Amino acid sequence: MSAGLCASCGSDPAPGASFCWLCGYPLGAGAAPVARIAQASPAAGIGWVVAFVVALFVLSGVGLELAFLWPGLLIPYAAALVPVLVVMTRILYVQRFDFWEGSKSGPAAAASSGAALAPAQPASGATREAPDGSSDVVAKVVTTVAVGMAGTAIAIGLLMLLAVAAFVFLVAICFAAILVLGH
Amino acid sequence: MTVAPPSAWHVVERVWSYRGEERANLMRILAIACFYAIELVNRHGLNLGFIEFPPVEGVDERFHAAVTALAVAWVASALGVLIMMRSRRFPTTLKYITTTVDVVLLTSILLIADGPRSPLVITYFIILAAAPLRFSAGLVRYTALATIVGYVVLVGDAWLRRPETRVPRYQQLMTILALALAGLALVYLMKMLREAAEAYAARREAP
Ligand SMILES: [Zn+2]
């Protein structure tokens, strides 16, 4: 059993928490361990990466449709989407879900890197099947594809916002020039 | 008599409802992707040579724009749930909130589509079928009630505002009855699941 996981459900607790976020079991010394819920974790947690990729596809498709319907709406759309994508990409990139934290150190880092993609795949440290590597490769490939797609989407969104900013800037300069020259 | 202590059931329920909510969210996003793809085909038409989907009459720009907006809202809420759960926030009310959002958004789409006449009405059954994934009889009851209310809203809208989307009275009653009975079967399923788990635990403990 890896240190730092909830003694009751095996999930990866938040740093410094005194109760398990999932099952409410008190963490730390003094808590008598109950029968641990052992379970195999099918598809060790790449489902949510797939969900993210599909969501990205839908949102890109919607962006294409918006370009046909009302191109003007692409701007607020990009502005709303970019922060969400940045958060998701950060989560995918650092392989941790408390993405706002800096780099972790100590045993917590070791524990969470083991259960990185699966904070709530209980007992992931204890009952994980013998590492055959194939599911790890799949998870890595899917994650890399997701990061790449999200990065591209963010780049497109930022370029679009930059173009708008440049346009506004140009208009402002023209306006100022007209005002100055008009005098 | 030995039954599993409630705390053990609580832990099991929390863990499995987390996984169920995750799966339901994945299903939600996949379903929106598929249904939006169908909407795109209806709007633009699709000719694959051996099979052709002509553009559907009545899918005008306004309708398409509204469906697009609702699809974006739906995907955004699913992404929000994804981020929330992945940053260890999983309140017990989350399943009620996500289900309410599903029913409200589906009802909104149907209100701008063909109302009770639309084939999308069967999507209420998909929402109901996803309720037991969260391991809660209360949620199944709530979902059955919410989908029935959503359907009644559609029927009321057709009755008051859009007579062209009305369906016969027997069809309304059959749909409501089917939702209620499906909900009842799923509530029984939830109860039996728990009883089976407790019986299994008792048998394992018995010498
Ligand atoms: Zn726990």
Side-chain angles (χ1 to χ4, degrees), chain A residues 6 8-11 20 22-25:
Chain A
C6 169
S8 165
C9 71
S11 69
C20 173
L22 183 58
C23 71
Y25 196 76

Side-chain angles (χ1 to χ4, degrees), chain A residues 21-23, chain B residues 9-18 90-92:
Chain A
W21 63 274
L22 183 58
C23 71
Chain B
W9 178 256
H10 170 74
V11 175
V12 171
E13 193 189 9
R14 286 290 287 165
V15 170
W16 264 265
S17 67
Y18 184 95
F90 186 52
T92 44

Side-chain angles (χ1 to χ4, degrees), chain A residues 72-136:
Chain A
L73 265 190
L74 275 176
I75 303 305
Y77 187 68
L81 211 56
V82 164
V84 176
L85 290 182
V86 167
V87 168
M88 289 304 299
T89 315
R90 167 99 181 131
I91 293 178
L92 285 166
Y93 184 70
V94 299
Q95 305 267 299
R96 277 187 286 109
F97 306 102
D98 40 0
F99 54 90
W100 54 89
E101 302 261 326
S103 60
K104 265 198 240 173
S105 57
S112 76
S113 70
L117 276 174
Q121 298 294 332
S124 58
T127 59
R128 213 180 208 156
E129 314 91 75
D132 61 348
S134 67
S135 71
D136 268 9

Side-chain angles (χ1 to χ4, degrees), chain A residues 12 22 37 39 65 97 119, chain B residues 11 14 19 64 86 88:
Chain A
D12 180 22
L22 183 58
I37 300 165
Q39 51 179 308
E65 279 299 297
F97 306 102
Chain B
V11 175
R14 286 290 287 165
R19 303 165 107 203
H64 186 60
R86 281 290 150 181
R88 303 194 187 88

Side-chain angles (χ1 to χ4, degrees), chain B residues 153-172:
Chain B
V153 167
L154 295 183
V155 169
D157 174 66
W159 186 54
L160 291 171
R161 212 167 55 90
R162 299 192 302 165
E164 74 277 8
T165 64
R166 274 183 208 164
V167 291
R169 190 56 41 88
Y170 68 85
Q171 188 177 335
Q172 300 166 2

Side-chain angles (χ1 to χ4, degrees), chain A residues 42-55:
Chain A
I46 63 168
W48 73 281
V49 183
V50 175
F52 178 60
V53 170
V54 177

